[in-house]
Amino acid sequence: MSEVLEYQPQWVREDFVDFIAEKINPLWAWKKVKAQIVSTQALSTDFYQIQLRPNHNFKQDQLSAGQSVLVSVVIAGVSQQRSYSVVKVLNNGDLIIAVKRQGQVSNVLTALQDNDVVEISQGQGDFVLGRETAPILLIASGSGISAIYALLHAALAHNVENVALIYFSRDQAYDDELQALAQQHAHFQYYPIHTTVQKQHLDEALLKRLVPDFQQRTTYICGAQSMMNSVNALYRGFGIEHQLKQEYFQKLIDENLAAQPVVFLRSQQSFEATTNLLESAEQAGLRPSSGCRMGICNTCSCTKVSGSTKNLLTGEIEHGNQVQIKLCISQAISPVVINL
């Protein structure tokens, strides 16, 4: 006796609901977080502050100072994402992000008009203040001030005993606000270094002069890779690297590492890796999933079947097999096989 096939109705699809909803209101979505651009303000010739008004799906109560959001824009019909630190959250729930114009996504994002809508993620990342109230040191350069600015406000609000900020900048973004905060809070010391007139690098002598007790403080740092490298080397020399918390925002690469052959096992693709594994794959025409491109989200996490890689944030070498790595912050130091 033959079986009778019956029609089994499916649950309503999320993408169909979103398609219909956005025709009525571009901010409406079932689960996605969408945000309307309220305003865009130029902080300098290539650094912008953007005010976003997220829809009801954004979980503001779960956002911590120092975290970022992924912002998605459509470029040539393809959705692309980049991570941007949340500088502050306004009383009405609007988010302020800071965007340095230096790539495809940032160029498109800063050119959007008021009332345009983008998709964003929930808050992400672990570059957040600890629970201690002991003195801390904040160090920023360039657009790295966006995350540090948020941490500063959190530290002042949570009664951290003493806060020192060293800020290297050529455009003085947020300088007026930071000067005002230093006037309002006696336990906040602000040390601006305007790099167009002061040829000062971050070194041991500078730290000892500005913040003599820096070795006793937890240090939060975000900025250019050259500065980050200097601070990491300095703290390792003092044996206090465990007191360093850091956030990168530039492309990561160790130029001293030789190119290595990489195989994506499932897709049966191979290529030569000359930079981090994500960019090397993209240069070979592959399109692995990615998000923040800075090691914050887990979008590009995958299993390394074999081979050795270097974590470009920590410098740690991973020789193990069947271990999780993030493509965007991993560079091959031997032939590598990845389960992708």
Side-chain angles (χ1 to χ4, degrees):
M1 186 176 180
S2 61
E3 293 183 0
V4 177
L5 299 178
E6 297 182 357
Y7 170 69
Q8 299 291 333
Q10 296 182 341
W11 292 103
V12 177
R13 290 168 55 97
E14 179 182 341
D15 55 356
F16 176 74
V17 172
D18 288 349
F19 175 77
I20 298 299
E22 70 181 9
K23 301 301 180 184
I24 305 171
N25 185 324
L27 277 174
W28 286 0
W30 188 351
K31 297 179 182 178
K32 290 180 181 178
V33 182
K34 294 186 175 183
Q36 187 175 55
I37 294 177
V38 177
S39 64
T40 300
Q41 173 190 354
L43 300 173
S44 70
T45 55
D46 61 354
F47 194 30
Y48 294 80
Q49 178 174 284
I50 299 178
Q51 182 174 340
L52 299 173
R53 183 162 296 160
N55 65 12
H56 66 281
N57 291 327
F58 186 72
K59 299 175 182 177
Q60 180 186 331
D61 59 334
Q62 296 181 17
L63 178 71
S64 296
Q67 289 189 310
S68 59
V69 292
L70 286 171
V71 180
S72 301
V73 298
V74 177
I75 301 175
V78 178
S79 179
Q80 299 196 33
Q81 300 175 313
R82 291 296 182 271
S83 180
Y84 298 101
S85 296
V86 177
V87 178
K88 67 178 76 170
V89 180
L90 303 184
N91 291 334
N92 67 352
D94 286 3
L95 308 178
I96 302 294
I97 63 172
V99 179
K100 185 175 180 63
R101 183 179 280 178
Q102 58 184 1
Q104 280 190 320
V105 174
S106 58
N107 285 336
V108 170
L109 182 57
T110 54
L112 293 177
Q113 302 299 307
D114 294 356
N115 299 318
D116 283 347
V117 174
V118 294
E119 185 178 338
I120 67 174
S121 70
Q122 301 291 350
Q124 57 180 13
D126 56 7
F127 189 62
V128 297
L129 282 181
R131 296 183 179 180
E132 73 277 358
T133 58
I136 64 172
L137 170 60
L138 307 174
I139 304 176
S141 70
S143 56
I145 191 61
S146 53
I148 294 296
Y149 188 94
L151 291 184
L152 170 63
H153 275 272
L156 295 177
H158 289 86
N159 300 314
V160 173
E161 293 175 10
N162 187 275
V163 184
L165 167 60
I166 303 173
Y167 175 30
F168 296 82
S169 173
R170 62 176 173 80
D171 50 36
Q172 303 179 43
Y174 296 110
D175 185 65
D176 290 343
E177 294 93 328
L178 294 169
Q179 295 282 7
L181 287 172
Q183 292 292 324
Q184 297 167 21
H185 300 275
H187 63 299
F188 169 44
Q189 294 84 48
Y190 175 44
Y191 304 106
I193 297 175
H194 304 314
T195 56
T196 55
V197 295
Q198 296 172 263
K199 302 304 179 183
Q200 173 68 63
H201 297 286
L202 196 152
D203 55 22
E204 180 180 346
L206 179 70
L207 283 178
K208 286 184 174 179
R209 177 166 60 87
L210 299 182
V211 190
D213 65 342
F214 76 91
Q215 293 187 55
Q216 282 72 55
R217 299 186 182 218
T218 298
T219 298
Y220 298 82
I221 179 170
C222 183
Q225 190 168 355
S226 58
M227 183 193 71
M228 305 283 280
N229 292 342
S230 297
V231 175
N232 274 270
L234 183 61
Y235 276 54
R236 281 196 301 270
F238 282 110
I240 56 172
E241 60 268 32
H242 61 282
Q243 294 172 208
L244 192 60
K245 296 186 178 181
Q246 51 198 320
E247 182 90 308
Y248 285 78
F249 63 84
Q250 291 188 333
K251 179 176 70 173
L252 298 170
I253 177 176
D254 185 342
E255 296 179 348
N256 296 317
L257 296 180
Q260 298 292 341
V262 176
V263 174
F264 279 5
L265 194 60
R266 293 203 311 269
S267 57
Q268 298 184 343
Q269 300 285 341
S270 60
F271 56 92
E272 288 282 310
T274 56
T275 177
N276 66 59
L277 290 172
L278 176 59
E279 289 200 350
S280 293
E282 291 175 337
Q283 289 169 5
L286 306 178
R287 292 293 178 264
S289 298
S290 65
C292 68
R293 309 177 76 87
M294 296 185 297
I296 299 172
C297 72
N298 291 306
T299 307
C300 68
S301 291
C302 57
T303 301
K304 175 169 67 72
V305 178
S306 64
S308 299
T309 54
K310 177 180 180 180
N311 184 309
L312 293 167
L313 292 184
T314 66
E316 182 180 359
I317 304 299
E318 176 58 72
H319 296 294
N321 298 335
Q322 304 297 332
V323 295
Q324 290 293 113
I325 63 170
K326 296 179 182 180
L327 296 177
C328 67
I329 59 170
S330 297
Q331 192 166 345
I333 60 174
S334 78
V336 170
V337 177
I338 296 173
N339 190 24
L340 278 178

